Coordinates of all heavy atoms in Angstrom, one line a residue:
M30 N 0.9 32.3 64.3 CA 2.0 31.9 63.5 C 3.3 32.4 64.0 O 4.3 31.8 63.9 CB 1.7 32.5 62.1 CG 2.5 31.7 61.0 SD 1.9 30.0 61.0 CE 2.3 29.6 59.4
N31 N 3.3 33.5 64.8 CA 4.5 34.0 65.3 C 5.1 33.1 66.4 O 6.3 33.0 66.5 CB 4.2 35.4 65.9 CG 5.5 36.2 66.1 OD1 6.5 35.8 65.7 ND2 5.4 37.4 66.7
N32 N 4.2 32.5 67.2 CA 4.7 31.6 68.3 C 5.3 30.3 67.7 O 6.3 29.8 68.2 CB 3.6 31.2 69.2 CG 3.2 32.4 70.1 OD1 4.0 33.3 70.3 ND2 1.9 32.4 70.6
V33 N 4.8 29.8 66.6 CA 5.3 28.6 65.9 C 6.7 28.9 65.4 O 7.6 28.1 65.5 CB 4.3 28.1 64.8 CG1 4.9 26.9 64.1 CG2 3.0 27.7 65.4
Q34 N 6.9 30.0 64.7 CA 8.2 30.4 64.2 C 9.2 30.5 65.3 O 10.3 30.1 65.2 CB 8.1 31.7 63.4 CG 7.3 31.5 62.1 CD 7.2 32.8 61.4 OE1 7.4 33.9 61.9 NE2 6.8 32.8 60.1
F35 N 8.8 31.1 66.4 CA 9.7 31.3 67.5 C 10.1 29.9 68.1 O 11.3 29.7 68.4 CB 9.0 32.1 68.6 CG 9.8 32.4 69.8 CD1 10.9 33.2 69.8 CD2 9.6 31.7 71.0 CE1 11.7 33.5 70.9 CE2 10.4 31.9 72.1 CZ 11.4 32.8 72.1
I36 N 9.2 29.0 68.2 CA 9.5 27.7 68.7 C 10.4 26.9 67.7 O 11.4 26.3 68.2 CB 8.2 26.9 68.9 CG1 7.4 27.5 70.1 CG2 8.5 25.4 69.2 CD1 6.1 26.9 70.3
V37 N 10.2 27.0 66.4 CA 11.1 26.4 65.5 C 12.5 27.0 65.5 O 13.5 26.2 65.5 CB 10.5 26.5 64.0 CG1 11.5 26.1 63.0 CG2 9.2 25.7 63.9
V38 N 12.6 28.3 65.7 CA 13.9 28.9 65.8 C 14.6 28.5 67.0 O 15.8 28.2 67.0 CB 13.7 30.5 65.7 CG1 15.0 31.2 66.1 CG2 13.3 30.9 64.3
M39 N 13.9 28.4 68.1 CA 14.5 28.0 69.4 C 15.0 26.5 69.3 O 16.1 26.2 69.8 CB 13.6 28.2 70.6 CG 13.3 29.6 70.9 SD 14.7 30.6 71.2 CE 15.2 30.0 72.8
V40 N 14.2 25.6 68.8 CA 14.6 24.2 68.6 C 15.8 24.1 67.7 O 16.7 23.4 68.0 CB 13.4 23.4 68.2 CG1 13.8 22.0 67.8 CG2 12.3 23.3 69.2
T41 N 15.8 24.8 66.6 CA 16.9 24.8 65.7 C 18.2 25.3 66.3 O 19.2 24.7 66.2 CB 16.6 25.6 64.4 OG1 15.3 25.1 63.8 CG2 17.7 25.5 63.4
C42 N 18.1 26.4 67.0 CA 19.3 26.9 67.7 C 19.8 26.0 68.8 O 21.0 25.8 69.0 CB 19.0 28.3 68.3 SG 18.8 29.6 67.0
G43 N 18.9 25.4 69.5 CA 19.2 24.4 70.5 C 19.9 23.2 69.9 O 21.0 22.7 70.5
L44 N 19.4 22.7 68.8 CA 20.1 21.5 68.2 C 21.5 21.9 67.6 O 22.4 21.1 67.8 CB 19.2 21.0 67.0 CG 18.0 20.2 67.5 CD1 17.1 19.9 66.2 CD2 18.4 19.0 68.2
Y45 N 21.6 23.1 67.1 CA 22.8 23.6 66.6 C 23.9 23.7 67.7 O 25.0 23.3 67.6 CB 22.7 24.9 65.8 CG 24.0 25.5 65.3 CD1 24.6 24.9 64.2 CD2 24.6 26.5 66.0 CE1 25.8 25.4 63.7 CE2 25.8 27.0 65.5 CZ 26.4 26.5 64.4 OH 27.6 27.0 64.0
A46 N 23.4 24.3 68.8 CA 24.3 24.4 70.0 C 24.7 23.1 70.5 O 25.9 22.9 70.9 CB 23.6 25.3 71.1
L47 N 23.8 22.1 70.6 CA 24.1 20.8 71.1 C 25.1 20.1 70.2 O 26.1 19.5 70.7 CB 22.8 20.0 71.2 CG 23.0 18.5 71.7 CD1 23.4 18.5 73.1 CD2 21.7 17.8 71.5
L48 N 24.9 20.2 68.8 CA 25.9 19.6 67.9 C 27.2 20.3 68.0 O 28.3 19.6 67.9 CB 25.3 19.7 66.5 CG 24.1 18.7 66.2 CD1 23.6 19.0 64.8 CD2 24.5 17.3 66.3
F49 N 27.3 21.6 68.2 CA 28.5 22.3 68.3 C 29.3 21.8 69.6 O 30.5 21.6 69.5 CB 28.3 23.8 68.4 CG 29.5 24.6 68.5 CD1 30.4 24.8 67.5 CD2 29.8 25.1 69.8 CE1 31.5 25.5 67.6 CE2 31.0 25.9 69.9 CZ 31.9 26.1 68.8
L50 N 28.6 21.7 70.7 CA 29.2 21.2 71.9 C 29.7 19.8 71.8 O 30.8 19.5 72.3 CB 28.2 21.3 73.1 CG 28.0 22.7 73.6 CD1 26.9 22.7 74.7 CD2 29.2 23.4 74.1
I51 N 28.9 18.9 71.1 CA 29.4 17.5 70.9 C 30.6 17.5 70.0 O 31.6 16.8 70.3 CB 28.3 16.7 70.3 CG1 27.2 16.5 71.3 CG2 28.8 15.4 69.8 CD1 25.9 15.8 70.8
G52 N 30.7 18.3 69.0 CA 31.8 18.4 68.1 C 33.0 18.9 68.9 O 34.2 18.5 68.7
L53 N 32.8 19.9 69.7 CA 33.9 20.5 70.5 C 34.5 19.5 71.5 O 35.7 19.3 71.6 CB 33.4 21.7 71.2 CG 34.5 22.5 72.0 CD1 35.5 23.1 71.1 CD2 33.8 23.6 72.9
L54 N 33.6 18.7 72.1 CA 34.1 17.7 73.1 C 34.8 16.6 72.3 O 35.9 16.1 72.8 CB 32.9 17.2 73.9 CG 32.3 18.1 74.9 CD1 31.1 17.5 75.5 CD2 33.3 18.6 75.9
V55 N 34.3 16.1 71.2 CA 35.0 15.1 70.4 C 36.3 15.6 69.9 O 37.3 14.8 70.0 CB 34.1 14.6 69.3 CG1 34.9 13.7 68.3 CG2 32.9 13.9 69.8
G56 N 36.4 16.8 69.5 CA 37.7 17.3 69.0 C 38.7 17.4 70.2 O 39.9 17.1 70.0
L57 N 38.3 17.9 71.3 CA 39.2 17.9 72.5 C 39.7 16.5 72.9 O 40.8 16.3 73.3 CB 38.5 18.7 73.7 CG 38.3 20.2 73.5 CD1 37.5 20.7 74.6 CD2 39.6 20.9 73.3
Y58 N 38.8 15.6 72.9 CA 39.1 14.2 73.2 C 40.1 13.6 72.2 O 41.1 13.0 72.6 CB 37.8 13.3 73.2 CG 38.1 11.8 73.4 CD1 38.5 11.4 74.7 CD2 38.0 10.9 72.4 CE1 38.7 10.0 74.9 CE2 38.3 9.6 72.6 CZ 38.6 9.2 73.8 OH 38.9 7.8 74.0
R59 N 39.9 13.9 70.9 CA 40.9 13.4 69.9 C 42.3 14.1 70.1 O 43.3 13.4 69.9 CB 40.4 13.7 68.5 CG 39.3 12.7 68.1 CD 38.9 12.9 66.7 NE 37.8 12.0 66.3 CZ 37.2 12.0 65.1 NH1 37.6 12.9 64.2 NH2 36.3 11.2 64.9
I60 N 42.3 15.4 70.4 CA 43.6 16.0 70.6 C 44.3 15.5 71.8 O 45.5 15.2 71.8 CB 43.3 17.6 70.8 CG1 42.9 18.2 69.4 CG2 44.5 18.3 71.3 CD1 42.5 19.6 69.5
R61 N 43.5 15.2 72.9 CA 44.2 14.6 74.1 C 44.7 13.2 73.8 O 45.8 12.9 74.2 CB 43.1 14.6 75.2 CG 43.8 14.3 76.6 CD 42.8 14.3 77.7 NE 42.3 12.9 77.8 CZ 41.1 12.6 78.2 NH1 40.2 13.6 78.5 NH2 40.7 11.4 78.3
K62 N 43.9 12.4 73.0 CA 44.4 11.1 72.7 C 45.6 11.1 71.8 O 46.5 10.3 72.0 CB 43.2 10.4 72.0 CG 43.4 8.9 71.9 CD 42.1 8.3 71.3 CE 42.2 6.8 71.1 NZ 41.0 6.2 70.5
H63 N 45.6 12.0 70.8 CA 46.8 12.2 69.9 C 48.0 12.6 70.7 O 49.1 12.1 70.4 CB 46.4 13.2 68.8 CG 47.5 13.4 67.8 ND1 47.8 12.4 66.9 CD2 48.3 14.4 67.6 CE1 48.8 12.8 66.1 NE2 49.1 14.0 66.5
N64 N 47.9 13.5 71.6 CA 49.0 14.0 72.4 C 49.6 12.8 73.3 O 50.8 12.7 73.5 CB 48.6 15.2 73.3 CG 48.5 16.4 72.5 OD1 49.0 16.5 71.3 ND2 47.8 17.4 73.0
A65 N 48.7 12.0 73.9 CA 49.1 10.9 74.7 C 49.9 9.9 73.8 O 50.9 9.3 74.2 CB 47.9 10.2 75.3
L66 N 49.4 9.6 72.6 CA 50.1 8.7 71.7 C 51.5 9.3 71.3 O 52.5 8.5 71.3 CB 49.3 8.5 70.4 CG 49.9 7.6 69.3 CD1 50.1 6.2 69.8 CD2 49.1 7.6 68.1
N67 N 51.5 10.6 71.0 CA 52.8 11.2 70.7 C 53.8 11.1 71.9 O 55.0 10.9 71.7 CB 52.7 12.6 70.3 CG 52.2 12.7 68.9 OD1 52.3 11.8 68.1 ND2 51.6 13.9 68.5
A68 N 53.3 11.3 73.1 CA 54.1 11.2 74.3 C 54.6 9.7 74.5 O 55.8 9.5 74.8 CB 53.4 11.6 75.5
R69 N 53.8 8.7 74.2 CA 54.2 7.3 74.3 C 55.3 7.0 73.3 O 56.3 6.3 73.6 CB 53.0 6.4 74.2 CG 52.3 6.1 75.4 CD 51.2 5.1 75.3 NE 51.5 4.0 74.4 CZ 50.6 3.5 73.5 NH1 49.4 4.0 73.4 NH2 51.0 2.6 72.7
L70 N 55.1 7.5 72.1 CA 56.1 7.2 71.0 C 57.4 7.9 71.3 O 58.5 7.4 71.1 CB 55.5 7.7 69.7 CG 54.4 6.8 69.1 CD1 53.9 7.5 67.8 CD2 54.9 5.4 68.8
A71 N 57.3 9.2 71.8 CA 58.5 9.9 72.2 C 59.3 9.1 73.3 O 60.5 9.0 73.3 CB 58.2 11.3 72.6
D72 N 58.6 8.6 74.3 CA 59.3 7.9 75.4 C 59.9 6.6 74.8 O 60.9 6.2 75.3 CB 58.3 7.6 76.5 CG 57.9 8.8 77.3 OD1 58.6 9.8 77.2 OD2 56.8 8.7 78.0
M73 N 59.2 6.0 73.9 CA 59.7 4.7 73.4 C 60.9 4.9 72.5 O 61.9 4.1 72.6 CB 58.6 4.0 72.5 CG 58.9 2.7 72.0 SD 57.7 1.9 70.9 CE 56.2 2.1 71.8
Y74 N 60.9 5.9 71.6 CA 62.0 6.0 70.6 C 63.1 7.0 71.0 O 64.1 7.0 70.3 CB 61.4 6.5 69.3 CG 60.7 5.3 68.6 CD1 59.3 5.3 68.6 CD2 61.4 4.3 68.0 CE1 58.6 4.3 67.9 CE2 60.7 3.3 67.3 CZ 59.3 3.3 67.3 OH 58.7 2.3 66.7
N75 N 63.0 7.7 72.1 CA 64.0 8.6 72.5 C 64.8 8.1 73.7 O 65.1 8.8 74.6 CB 63.4 10.0 72.8 CG 62.9 10.7 71.6 OD1 63.4 10.5 70.5 ND2 62.0 11.6 71.8
D76 N 65.0 6.8 73.7 CA 65.8 6.1 74.7 C 67.2 6.5 74.6 O 67.8 6.3 73.5 CB 65.6 4.6 74.6 CG 66.1 3.9 75.8 OD1 66.5 4.5 76.8 OD2 66.2 2.6 75.8
P77 N 67.9 6.9 75.7 CA 69.3 7.3 75.5 C 70.2 6.1 75.3 O 71.3 6.2 74.8 CB 69.7 8.0 76.9 CG 68.6 7.5 77.8 CD 67.4 7.2 77.0
N78 N 69.8 4.9 75.6 CA 70.6 3.7 75.4 C 70.1 3.1 74.1 O 69.2 2.2 74.1 CB 70.4 2.7 76.6 CG 71.2 1.5 76.4 OD1 72.1 1.4 75.6 ND2 71.0 0.5 77.3
L79 N 70.7 3.5 73.0 CA 70.2 3.0 71.7 C 70.6 1.6 71.4 O 70.0 1.0 70.5 CB 70.8 3.9 70.6 CG 70.3 5.4 70.6 CD1 71.0 6.1 69.5 CD2 68.8 5.4 70.5
A80 N 71.5 1.0 72.2 CA 71.8 -0.4 72.0 C 70.7 -1.3 72.5 O 70.7 -2.5 72.3 CB 73.1 -0.8 72.7
K81 N 69.7 -0.7 73.2 CA 68.6 -1.5 73.7 C 67.4 -1.5 72.9 O 66.3 -1.8 73.3 CB 68.3 -0.9 75.1 CG 67.5 -1.8 76.0 CD 67.2 -1.1 77.3 CE 66.0 -0.3 77.1 NZ 65.5 0.4 78.3
M82 N 67.5 -1.2 71.6 CA 66.4 -1.0 70.7 C 65.9 -2.4 70.2 O 65.9 -2.6 69.0 CB 66.7 0.0 69.6 CG 66.8 1.4 70.1 SD 67.3 2.6 68.8 CE 66.0 2.4 67.7
D83 N 65.6 -3.3 71.0 CA 65.2 -4.6 70.6 C 63.8 -4.6 69.9 O 63.5 -5.5 69.1 CB 65.1 -5.6 71.8 CG 66.5 -5.9 72.3 OD1 67.5 -5.7 71.6 OD2 66.6 -6.2 73.5
Y84 N 63.0 -3.6 70.1 CA 61.7 -3.5 69.6 C 61.7 -3.1 68.1 O 60.7 -3.2 67.4 CB 60.8 -2.6 70.4 CG 61.4 -1.3 70.7 CD1 61.4 -0.2 69.8 CD2 62.0 -1.1 71.9 CE1 62.0 1.0 70.1 CE2 62.6 0.1 72.2 CZ 62.6 1.1 71.3 OH 63.2 2.3 71.6
D85 N 62.8 -2.6 67.6 CA 62.9 -2.2 66.2 C 63.6 -3.2 65.3 O 63.3 -3.2 64.1 CB 63.7 -0.8 66.1 CG 62.7 0.4 66.1 OD1 61.5 0.1 66.0 OD2 63.2 1.5 66.3
F86 N 64.5 -4.0 65.8 CA 65.3 -4.9 65.0 C 64.9 -6.3 65.4 O 65.2 -6.8 66.4 CB 66.8 -4.7 65.2 CG 67.2 -3.3 64.9 CD1 67.6 -2.4 65.9 CD2 67.3 -2.9 63.6 CE1 68.0 -1.1 65.6 CE2 67.7 -1.6 63.3 CZ 68.1 -0.7 64.3
S87 N 64.2 -6.9 64.5 CA 63.8 -8.3 64.7 C 65.0 -9.2 64.5 O 65.2 -10.2 65.2 CB 62.7 -8.8 63.9 OG 63.0 -8.7 62.5
G88 N 65.9 -8.9 63.6 CA 67.1 -9.6 63.4 C 68.3 -9.0 64.1 O 69.3 -8.8 63.5
Y89 N 68.2 -8.8 65.4 CA 69.2 -8.1 66.2 C 70.1 -9.2 66.7 O 69.9 -9.7 67.8 CB 68.5 -7.4 67.3 CG 69.3 -6.2 67.9 CD1 69.6 -5.1 67.2 CD2 69.7 -6.3 69.2 CE1 70.3 -4.1 67.8 CE2 70.4 -5.3 69.8 CZ 70.7 -4.2 69.1 OH 71.4 -3.2 69.6
D90 N 71.2 -9.5 65.9 CA 72.1 -10.6 66.3 C 73.3 -10.0 67.1 O 73.4 -8.8 67.3 CB 72.5 -11.4 65.1 CG 73.1 -10.5 64.0 OD1 73.2 -9.3 64.2 OD2 73.6 -11.1 63.0
E91 N 74.3 -10.9 67.4 CA 75.5 -10.5 68.1 C 76.3 -9.5 67.4 O 76.9 -8.6 67.9 CB 76.3 -11.7 68.6 CG 75.6 -12.6 69.6 CD 75.3 -11.8 70.9 OE1 76.2 -11.0 71.3 OE2 74.2 -12.0 71.4
E92 N 76.4 -9.7 66.0 CA 77.3 -8.8 65.2 C 76.7 -7.4 65.2 O 77.4 -6.4 65.4 CB 77.3 -9.3 63.8 CG 78.2 -8.4 62.9 CD 78.2 -8.9 61.5 OE1 77.7 -10.1 61.2 OE2 78.6 -8.2 60.6
M93 N 75.4 -7.3 65.1 CA 74.7 -5.9 65.1 C 74.9 -5.3 66.5 O 75.1 -4.1 66.6 CB 73.3 -6.0 64.8 CG 72.6 -4.7 64.8 SD 73.2 -3.5 63.6 CE 72.6 -4.2 62.1
K94 N 74.8 -6.1 67.6 CA 75.0 -5.6 68.9 C 76.4 -5.1 69.1 O 76.6 -4.0 69.7 CB 74.7 -6.7 69.9 CG 74.1 -6.3 71.2 CD 73.8 -7.5 72.1 CE 72.5 -8.0 71.8 NZ 72.0 -9.0 72.7
H95 N 77.4 -5.8 68.5 CA 78.8 -5.3 68.6 C 78.9 -4.0 67.8 O 79.6 -3.1 68.3 CB 79.7 -6.4 68.0 CG 81.1 -5.9 67.8 ND1 82.0 -5.6 68.8 CD2 81.8 -5.6 66.6 CE1 83.1 -5.1 68.3 NE2 83.0 -5.1 67.0
V96 N 78.3 -3.9 66.6 CA 78.5 -2.7 65.8 C 77.8 -1.5 66.5 O 78.4 -0.4 66.5 CB 77.9 -2.9 64.4 CG1 77.8 -1.6 63.6 CG2 78.7 -3.9 63.6
V97 N 76.7 -1.7 67.1 CA 76.0 -0.6 67.7 C 76.7 -0.2 69.0 O 76.9 1.0 69.3 CB 74.5 -1.0 68.1 CG1 73.9 0.0 69.0 CG2 73.7 -1.2 66.8
S98 N 77.2 -1.2 69.7 CA 77.9 -0.8 71.0 C 79.3 -0.3 70.7 O 79.9 0.5 71.5 CB 78.0 -2.0 71.9 OG 78.8 -3.0 71.3
A99 N 79.9 -0.6 69.5 CA 81.3 -0.2 69.2 C 81.3 1.2 68.6 O 82.3 1.8 68.5 CB 82.0 -1.1 68.3
S100 N 80.1 1.7 68.2 CA 80.1 3.0 67.6 C 80.4 4.1 68.7 O 80.0 3.9 69.8 CB 78.7 3.3 66.9 OG 77.7 3.3 67.9
G101 N 81.0 5.1 68.3 CA 81.4 6.2 69.2 C 80.2 7.0 69.6 O 79.1 6.8 69.2
P102 N 80.4 8.0 70.5 CA 79.3 8.8 71.0 C 78.7 9.6 69.9 O 77.5 10.0 70.0 CB 79.9 9.6 72.1 CG 81.4 9.6 71.8 CD 81.7 8.3 71.1
D103 N 79.5 9.9 68.8 CA 78.9 10.7 67.7 C 78.3 9.8 66.7 O 77.9 10.3 65.6 CB 80.0 11.6 67.1 CG 81.2 10.8 66.7 OD1 81.3 9.6 67.0 OD2 82.0 11.4 66.0
G104 N 78.2 8.5 66.9 CA 77.6 7.6 65.9 C 78.5 7.1 64.8 O 78.1 6.4 63.9
Q105 N 79.8 7.4 64.9 CA 80.8 6.9 63.9 C 81.2 5.5 64.2 O 81.5 5.2 65.3 CB 82.0 7.9 63.8 CG 81.6 9.3 63.4 CD 81.1 9.3 62.0 OE1 81.7 8.7 61.1 NE2 80.1 10.1 61.7
L106 N 81.4 4.7 63.1 CA 81.9 3.4 63.2 C 83.4 3.4 62.9 O 83.9 4.3 62.2 CB 81.2 2.5 62.3 CG 79.8 2.2 62.5 CD1 79.2 1.4 61.4 CD2 79.5 1.6 63.8
T107 N 84.1 2.5 63.5 CA 85.6 2.4 63.2 C 85.7 1.6 61.9 O 84.8 0.9 61.4 CB 86.3 1.6 64.3 OG1 85.8 0.3 64.4 CG2 86.1 2.4 65.6
I108 N 86.9 1.6 61.3 CA 87.2 0.8 60.1 C 87.1 -0.7 60.3 O 86.7 -1.5 59.5 CB 88.5 1.3 59.4 CG1 88.7 0.6 58.0 CG2 89.7 0.9 60.3 CD1 87.7 1.2 57.0
Y109 N 87.5 -1.0 61.5 CA 87.4 -2.5 61.9 C 86.0 -3.0 61.9 O 85.7 -4.1 61.4 CB 88.0 -2.6 63.3 CG 87.8 -4.0 63.9 CD1 88.6 -5.1 63.4 CD2 86.9 -4.3 64.8 CE1 88.4 -6.4 63.9 CE2 86.7 -5.6 65.3 CZ 87.5 -6.6 64.8 OH 87.3 -7.9 65.3
D110 N 85.0 -2.1 62.4 CA 83.6 -2.5 62.3 C 83.1 -2.7 60.9 O 82.3 -3.6 60.6 CB 82.8 -1.5 63.1 CG 83.1 -1.4 64.6 OD1 83.5 -2.5 65.1 OD2 83.0 -0.3 65.1
V111 N 83.5 -1.8 60.0 CA 83.1 -1.9 58.6 C 83.7 -3.1 58.0 O 83.0 -3.9 57.2 CB 83.5 -0.6 57.9 CG1 83.2 -0.7 56.4 CG2 82.8 0.6 58.5
L112 N 84.9 -3.4 58.2 CA 85.6 -4.6 57.5 C 85.1 -5.9 58.1 O 84.9 -6.9 57.3 CB 87.1 -4.5 57.7 CG 87.8 -3.3 56.9 CD1 89.3 -3.3 57.3 CD2 87.6 -3.5 55.5
T113 N 84.8 -6.0 59.4 CA 84.3 -7.2 59.9 C 82.8 -7.5 59.6 O 82.4 -8.6 59.7 CB 84.5 -7.3 61.4 OG1 83.8 -6.2 62.0 CG2 86.0 -7.3 61.8
S114 N 82.1 -6.5 59.3 CA 80.7 -6.7 59.0 C 80.5 -7.3 57.6 O 79.4 -7.8 57.3 CB 79.9 -5.3 59.1 OG 80.3 -4.5 58.0
G115 N 81.5 -7.2 56.7 CA 81.4 -7.8 55.4 C 80.7 -6.9 54.4 O 80.3 -7.3 53.3
A116 N 80.5 -5.6 54.7 CA 79.8 -4.7 53.8 C 80.7 -4.3 52.7 O 80.2 -3.9 51.6 CB 79.4 -3.5 54.6
V117 N 82.0 -4.4 52.9 CA 83.0 -3.9 51.8 C 83.0 -5.0 50.7 O 82.9 -4.7 49.5 CB 84.4 -3.7 52.4 CG1 85.3 -3.3 51.3 CG2 84.3 -2.5 53.4
A118 N 83.2 -6.3 51.1 CA 83.3 -7.3 50.1 C 82.2 -8.4 50.4 O 82.3 -9.2 51.2 CB 84.6 -8.0 50.2
P119 N 81.1 -8.3 49.7 CA 80.0 -9.2 49.9 C 80.4 -10.6 49.5 O 81.3 -10.8 48.6 CB 78.8 -8.7 49.1 CG 79.4 -7.8 48.1 CD 80.7 -7.3 48.7
V120 N 79.8 -11.6 50.0 CA 80.1 -13.0 49.7 C 79.7 -13.3 48.3 O 78.5 -13.0 47.9 CB 79.3 -13.9 50.7 CG1 79.6 -15.4 50.4 CG2 79.8 -13.6 52.1
D121 N 80.6 -13.9 47.5 CA 80.3 -14.2 46.2 C 79.5 -15.5 46.1 O 79.9 -16.5 46.6 CB 81.6 -14.4 45.4 CG 81.4 -14.6 43.9 OD1 80.3 -14.3 43.4 OD2 82.3 -15.1 43.2
E122 N 78.3 -15.4 45.6 CA 77.4 -16.6 45.5 C 77.6 -17.4 44.2 O 76.8 -18.3 44.0 CB 76.0 -16.2 45.7 CG 75.7 -15.5 47.0 CD 74.3 -15.0 47.1 OE1 73.5 -15.2 46.2 OE2 73.9 -14.6 48.2
G123 N 78.6 -17.1 43.4 CA 78.8 -17.8 42.2 C 78.0 -17.1 41.0 O 77.4 -16.1 41.2
I124 N 78.2 -17.8 39.9 CA 77.6 -17.2 38.6 C 76.2 -17.8 38.6 O 75.9 -19.0 38.7 CB 78.4 -17.6 37.4 CG1 79.8 -17.0 37.5 CG2 77.7 -17.2 36.1 CD1 80.7 -17.4 36.4
E125 N 75.2 -17.0 38.3 CA 73.8 -17.4 38.1 C 73.6 -17.8 36.6 O 73.8 -17.0 35.8 CB 72.9 -16.4 38.6 CG 71.4 -16.8 38.4 CD 70.5 -15.7 38.9 OE1 70.9 -14.7 39.6 OE2 69.3 -15.7 38.6
E126 N 73.2 -19.0 36.4 CA 73.0 -19.4 35.0 C 71.5 -19.3 34.7 O 70.6 -19.8 35.4 CB 73.4 -20.9 34.8 CG 73.3 -21.3 33.4 CD 73.8 -22.7 33.3 OE1 74.7 -23.1 34.1 OE2 73.4 -23.4 32.4
I127 N 71.2 -18.6 33.6 CA 69.8 -18.4 33.2 C 69.6 -19.3 32.0 O 70.3 -19.2 31.0 CB 69.5 -17.0 32.9 CG1 69.7 -16.1 34.1 CG2 68.0 -16.8 32.4 CD1 69.6 -14.7 33.9
T128 N 68.6 -20.2 32.0 CA 68.4 -21.1 30.9 C 67.0 -20.8 30.4 O 66.1 -20.3 31.1 CB 68.5 -22.6 31.3 OG1 67.6 -22.8 32.4 CG2 69.9 -22.9 31.8
G129 N 66.8 -21.1 29.1 CA 65.4 -21.0 28.6 C 65.5 -20.7 27.1 O 66.6 -20.6 26.5
N130 N 64.4 -20.5 26.4 CA 64.4 -20.2 25.0 C 63.9 -18.8 24.8 O 63.0 -18.4 25.4 CB 63.4 -21.2 24.3 CG 63.9 -22.6 24.4 OD1 65.1 -22.9 24.4 ND2 62.9 -23.5 24.5
Y131 N 64.6 -18.1 23.9 CA 64.3 -16.7 23.6 C 63.2 -16.7 22.6 O 63.3 -17.3 21.5 CB 65.5 -16.0 23.1 CG 65.2 -14.6 22.7 CD1 64.9 -13.6 23.6 CD2 65.3 -14.2 21.3 CE1 64.6 -12.3 23.2 CE2 65.0 -13.0 20.9 CZ 64.7 -12.0 21.8 OH 64.4 -10.7 21.4
K132 N 62.1 -16.0 22.8 CA 61.0 -15.9 21.9 C 60.8 -14.5 21.6 O 60.1 -13.7 22.3 CB 59.7 -16.5 22.5 CG 59.9 -18.0 22.8 CD 58.6 -18.5 23.4 CE 58.8 -20.0 23.8 NZ 57.6 -20.5 24.5
P133 N 61.3 -14.0 20.5 CA 61.0 -12.6 20.1 C 59.6 -12.4 19.8 O 58.9 -13.3 19.4 CB 61.9 -12.4 18.9 CG 62.2 -13.7 18.3 CD 62.0 -14.7 19.4
D134 N 59.2 -11.1 19.9 CA 57.8 -10.8 19.7 C 57.4 -10.9 18.2 O 57.9 -10.6 17.3 CB 57.5 -9.4 20.2 CG 57.5 -9.4 21.7 OD1 57.3 -10.4 22.3 OD2 57.7 -8.3 22.3

């Protein structure tokens, strides 16, 4: 009976060691993959030429290009850029008329 217990203990320890090594390798692989993804994202989003961010703005028109390129090195816009963008006085679309019957509860 002593030999059978010894064999069971050795097989159990071997399986535990194998599973531990597999877990360690998978963890290291995931860490390496995560670091590679973070490096790719850092290279993509830390571009010094911020006017070239075509991958972030699908509606990147000429006016936005002017505003981004006209901003100073500290990121400040001039009053001309704010006034020409129309952000101060939005376009009046007229009065919206709501029709229908009121039904109280």
